[in-house]
Amino acid sequence: LFNLIHVIIFESNFEVCDFKNDGSENYDLSNFSSRIRGTQIGTVKYFATQSDADSNINSITTYNVQNSTKLFVRIESYGCFNVFEIHLSLVPTPIVKTTVATVRDSVCDNNNDGFEPIDLTSLQTEIYGGSDVTFQYYTNYNPTNNSLSGLISDPTVFISQQKSTVYAKVTFVTGGCYSVSTINITINFLPAVILKPAILQKCDFDFNLNESFNLPDAFPQLFSQGENSIPFADLKITYYKTESEANAGI
């Protein structure tokens, strides 16, 4: 049984995002390996010169990319190898406002839970002035390798606590290079209305499981002026059959 091994390269042209837009990016070359190797089983090594690649000496793992650069890769599979050129091009990223601070004053802390929704998309024009990008929002960002995690599925209703930090990934529609903007959120809540559970009860004299209740009779149990800074007279009180309807106001 004979197996002929023909080592090939699947991709040879790559773009490197210039995250600081300073004309230089120190890049981890291993990020290209899977695209270079493709479906082959083997290893990929990187070299600055063809002779080093042929001799398998002085391999490199990172490279400071400036403008356009030519490197060489040595792909080894089942004892066979081949050397190929690869071409790296440094590509600019969107020029964004790197840090955005947004403050929301006089916000009602509904249900007194310390969280309220905020529309992150309302900050897009402050982050970037053009229309040639897309926005995604994340809860975590690692600046050492420009990776993001914790995608926010609906940025129009991001549930924020009093102080939160999220990250906007701003990506060119063409090319895919991106920049990251840090969004620092501060919500200044209005004094919360503190309520306690109330129980209304009556004797069922007619044994028909049917009695009428006057709901305002629950006020003394629900609300204590000593625990609230808002006067009781300033409150508007409405009633609903379920908690979900009360939260929705329907």
Side-chain angles (χ1 to χ4, degrees):
L1 177 64
F2 296 93
N3 290 320
L4 296 178
I5 307 300
H6 182 50
V7 180
I8 61 174
I9 189 169
F10 277 72
E11 284 189 58
S12 59
N13 296 302
F14 303 95
E15 291 185 344
V16 175
C17 299
D18 185 3
F19 286 105
K20 294 181 180 179
N21 284 312
D22 59 358
S24 175
E25 191 72 26
N26 195 43
Y27 197 76
D28 182 353
L29 298 173
S30 66
N31 291 326
F32 299 134
S33 294
S34 61
R35 295 165 62 186
I36 290 171
R37 186 176 55 244
T39 57
Q40 300 169 110
I41 297 174
T43 59
V44 180
K45 291 182 180 180
Y46 300 84
F47 301 86
T49 67
Q50 170 98 45
S51 60
D52 282 351
D54 289 335
S55 302
N56 197 20
I57 59 173
N58 302 321
S59 65
I60 57 177
T61 57
T62 61
Y63 193 82
N64 194 293
V65 182
Q66 301 178 23
N67 298 318
S68 296
T69 301
K70 178 176 68 175
L71 296 177
F72 298 87
V73 295
R74 179 186 176 106
I75 306 174
E76 297 185 4
S77 179
Y78 296 106
C80 299
F81 76 92
N82 209 343
V83 173
F84 304 92
E85 284 187 10
I86 63 170
H87 299 271
L88 311 182
S89 298
L90 193 64
V91 178
T93 54
I95 299 176
V96 300
K97 189 174 182 180
T98 55
T99 303
V100 172
T102 180
V103 179
R104 298 289 192 266
D105 290 320
S106 301
V107 177
C108 294
D109 183 11
N110 297 310
N111 291 320
N112 193 26
D113 60 0
F115 293 89
E116 284 301 318
I118 183 171
D119 183 2
L120 299 175
T121 65
S122 65
L123 303 170
Q124 289 181 358
T125 55
E126 183 176 356
I127 294 171
Y128 183 78
S131 59
D132 55 342
V133 299
T134 60
F135 285 81
Q136 288 180 306
Y137 300 85
Y138 296 81
T139 55
N140 301 296
Y141 171 54
N142 184 350
T144 59
N145 58 8
N146 294 291
S147 63
L148 299 107
S149 61
L151 177 65
I152 298 171
S153 58
D154 188 353
T156 62
V157 286
F158 172 68
I159 304 302
S160 174
Q161 54 189 347
Q162 185 177 19
K163 287 188 177 294
S164 297
T165 299
V166 297
Y167 305 93
K169 180 181 180 181
V170 186
T171 307
F172 277 134
V173 174
T174 301
C177 277
Y178 64 91
S179 296
V180 177
S181 178
T182 301
I183 302 173
N184 294 316
I185 302 167
T186 300
I187 300 178
N188 294 319
F189 290 115
L190 291 168
V193 178
I194 300 174
L195 300 177
K196 295 181 178 179
I199 299 176
L200 295 179
Q201 58 185 16
K202 277 187 176 182
C203 297
D204 186 12
F205 291 110
D206 296 329
F207 296 98
N208 61 358
L209 300 178
N210 187 6
E211 293 292 335
S212 296
F213 288 86
N214 182 31
L215 297 180
D217 290 343
F219 290 168
Q221 298 180 59
L222 287 169
F223 183 88
S224 171
Q225 189 62 72
E227 297 178 351
N228 287 273
S229 59
I230 300 175
F232 178 75
D234 291 345
L235 298 180
K236 177 184 178 181
I237 302 173
T238 52
Y239 302 92
Y240 300 85
K241 291 183 179 180
T242 67
E243 183 177 356
S244 60
E245 290 177 347
N247 283 320
I250 57 175

